[in-house]
Amino acid sequence: MKSKRNFKTIVSLTLIMSLMICLFSAVITVEAVTDADKAQASQFEKEIDEIQKKIDANKGKIADLKKKADSQQQYIDELQGQVDAVQSKINLMNKGIAEVQGQIDLVDGDIKNLENQIKKLENDIKRFDEEIVKKQLEIAETYTRLGQRIRALYLAGPT
């Protein structure tokens, strides 16, 4: 029995020793992994710090660009106000031009009517001038005939 007990003890000790070796190797592995992880974690922290610095720099640039965009938008708004004012003036002028054009069209119509009346009157004047010439010829002819009759009466003597 003693040998069985010794055997059990040896097996137990062997198992305990095996477990201790496993634990020791696990601890060594964990420490090795932990050191590697610490180095990698340190590297990641450096990269995170660099990325955070870039983010902060970009936030500053974004803020500057927003300020510039706001400034440009204000300038655009001012220019749009000026454009609107000029467009309003243009619209008023176009309205005035349309009114004046309407008046010009009326005056042109009046001018055409007057030109037609002038042409009619000029034709009437020509016709009257022709009639005057005819009447003057008739008067001259009648005057000549009257003179001939008076002469004939004079030559005929008193009746």
Side-chain angles (χ1 to χ4, degrees), residues 39-107:
Q40 194 173 18
S42 175
Q43 181 66 28
F44 285 149
E45 286 178 12
K46 287 179 184 177
E47 289 177 12
I48 289 171
D49 287 342
E50 289 175 18
I51 291 171
Q52 189 61 44
K53 287 178 185 176
K54 288 180 182 178
I55 289 171
D56 292 340
N58 285 336
K59 282 182 182 178
K61 288 179 184 178
I62 288 171
D64 289 343
L65 290 174
K66 282 184 180 179
K67 286 179 185 177
K68 286 180 183 178
D70 290 343
S71 172
Q72 292 298 322
Q73 187 60 46
Q74 288 176 348
Y75 182 66
I76 288 170
D77 292 343
E78 289 174 16
L79 290 178
Q80 188 61 47
Q82 291 175 1
V83 166
D84 291 344
V86 169
Q87 186 62 44
S88 176
K89 288 179 183 178
I90 289 172
N91 290 340
L92 285 174
M93 287 182 177
N94 283 339
K95 187 176 179 182
I97 288 171
E99 289 175 7
V100 170
Q101 186 61 47
Q103 292 172 354
I104 289 172
D105 292 342
L106 289 175
V107 170

Side-chain angles (χ1 to χ4, degrees), residues 99-137:
E99 289 175 7
V100 170
Q101 186 61 47
Q103 292 172 354
I104 289 172
D105 292 342
L106 289 175
V107 170
D108 280 345
D110 290 345
I111 289 172
K112 286 180 183 177
N113 287 336
L114 290 173
E115 286 175 347
N116 289 336
Q117 288 177 3
I118 289 171
K119 285 180 184 178
K120 183 181 176 193
L121 290 174
E122 285 175 347
N123 289 335
D124 288 347
I125 289 172
K126 284 181 185 178
R127 187 172 43 92
F128 290 141
D129 281 345
E130 290 173 359
E131 286 181 23
I132 288 173
V133 169
K134 285 181 185 177
K135 293 292 181 188
Q136 284 176 341
L137 287 174

Side-chain angles (χ1 to χ4, degrees), residues 136-150:
Q136 284 176 341
L137 287 174
E138 285 178 17
I139 290 172
E141 195 176 302
T142 304
Y143 188 73
T144 304
R145 273 190 278 142
L146 179 64
Q148 288 173 350
R149 280 188 188 165
I150 290 176

